[in-house]
Amino acid sequence: MRTARLALGLAVAAAVAALPAAAVDWGKLKDLGKIAETAKDVKAAFGTPEEEEERQLGADVAATLLGASPTLANPGIQKYVNRVGLWVALQSARPNLPWRFAVIDNPNVNAFATPGGYVFITRGLLESLNSEAELAGALAHEIAHVERMHHLKAIKKDARLKLLGKGATQVMKKRTDAEEMERLNQVGSVTKGLYARGLDKADEFEADRVGAVLAARAGYDPYGLAQVLQTLDAVAPNSTQFALLFKTHPKPADRLAQLDKALGTQFESLGARPPLAERFVATMSK
């Protein structure tokens, strides 16, 4: 049981590590041992976990992130973002996940997701958007990460390296509670290095492609996400408000180029879709 808890502790830490960190106060993320207590086994490290395990893993990571930074205290905006996000999520290949969306009260511009259907955007990102179509595109990108299980793959990859790279006998040997907790405490320093890396570029490019399709299926302007990327591309590279986003994602110009290369003009047949700028502005002004 100790070994299982240790392994999942490493896996959960890797999950947090793979996420952009606009809303993470690493000084408050100290209770990794408590997260590990909720784990049933090491499936998250060595195979695709059952959906219930994925949900539990995502809930644990989401709870930790929300414990570090609060949600925006505006029920109307939270309800609006959930409505938009859920409608887009229903167009995905995983519509039955318990999707949850939230705006984090943080001025930095970023968005991230956890396994199991938890999607967060920062207040800074929301305030940089111009329409509901752009909001749908930004949320669709994160929904695509969950649909394609990008974070779970990152967890498995990282956990295998840490659990197997040092030798199975070293990891599997019986440890005292103190030794186990010390090992879990060491995860924090590893996590800081991993989250700065973010997901692989290939995962980000795929999430852009899939996200644009999901937004179009939901009836939004399919170029909403591209418009968000154009806004980001116009920002000064040294802007502190965007620093974490740029650190954990490919350059907006590169993302735009990949999106254009992948999708080209295939969305033109969809015809004009409403950007719903008026509804977005009206909701944000409440």
Side-chain angles (χ1 to χ4, degrees):
M1 179 61 71
R2 282 181 184 159
T3 302
R5 290 174 179 173
L6 170 61
L8 254 295
L10 291 172
V12 171
V16 178
L19 301 175
V24 180
D25 180 352
W26 290 102
K28 297 181 181 179
L29 299 185
K30 298 178 180 178
D31 202 6
L32 292 175
K34 183 177 180 181
I35 297 178
E37 290 290 334
T38 66
K40 295 180 181 179
D41 49 40
V42 294
K43 287 183 180 179
F46 295 101
T48 302
E50 298 296 331
E51 190 170 287
E52 182 57 35
E53 293 176 294
E54 179 188 356
R55 293 177 183 178
Q56 184 62 64
L57 176 63
D60 289 334
V61 177
T64 303
L65 296 177
L66 290 175
S69 291
T71 56
L72 182 67
N74 187 318
I77 289 179
Q78 297 288 3
K79 184 176 181 180
Y80 174 64
V81 170
N82 266 274
R83 281 182 173 176
V84 174
L86 181 58
W87 176 239
V88 176
L90 289 175
Q91 317 308 314
S92 74
R94 308 186 71 190
N96 295 323
L97 284 178
W99 294 94
R100 297 291 184 272
F101 301 84
V103 181
I104 299 295
D105 194 1
N106 190 291
N108 290 325
V109 174
N110 219 334
F112 53 93
T114 76
Y118 295 85
V119 176
F120 302 93
I121 64 172
T122 61
R123 170 171 53 83
L125 174 58
L126 187 63
E127 291 174 346
S128 72
L129 303 178
N130 299 298
S131 70
E132 189 172 308
E134 292 188 14
L135 172 61
L139 294 175
H141 172 91
E142 300 304 326
I143 291 168
H145 278 313
V146 178
E147 176 186 302
R148 298 304 171 99
M149 299 185 178
H150 288 156
H151 297 105
L152 282 176
K153 293 175 183 177
I155 292 170
K156 291 194 297 180
K157 178 180 178 181
D158 187 82
R160 283 171 176 167
L161 288 174
K162 288 179 176 60
L163 295 177
L164 299 181
K166 294 183 178 181
T169 56
Q170 180 181 357
V171 174
M172 298 297 288
K173 75 175 185 177
K174 185 176 181 179
R175 301 178 184 278
T176 66
D177 288 342
E179 289 174 331
E180 190 169 319
M181 288 308 300
E182 174 62 23
R183 194 170 185 82
L184 287 173
N185 288 335
Q186 292 174 356
V187 172
S189 61
V190 176
T191 301
K192 291 180 181 179
L194 291 173
Y195 87 81
R197 181 189 68 216
L199 292 170
D200 292 340
K201 285 186 177 181
D203 290 341
E204 295 295 349
F205 293 144
E206 181 178 39
D208 284 340
R209 296 193 301 271
V210 175
V213 172
L214 293 179
R217 287 178 184 171
Y220 289 104
D221 183 345
Y223 295 101
L225 177 58
Q227 289 164 351
V228 176
L229 294 176
Q230 288 175 340
T231 298
L232 296 177
D233 190 44
V235 173
N238 59 351
S239 173
T240 57
Q241 190 181 10
F242 294 77
L244 289 171
L245 178 68
F246 293 159
K247 190 176 182 180
T248 55
H249 288 73
K251 294 179 181 179
D254 293 341
R255 295 172 65 182
L256 280 166
Q258 289 291 326
L259 192 58
D260 181 68
K261 179 180 179 181
L263 301 178
T265 59
Q266 74 177 75
F267 285 148
E268 291 182 359
S269 61
L270 295 174
R273 300 295 182 96
L276 300 177
E278 295 81 4
R279 186 160 67 184
F280 178 81
V281 172
T283 301
M284 289 292 292
S285 64
K286 291 181 181 178

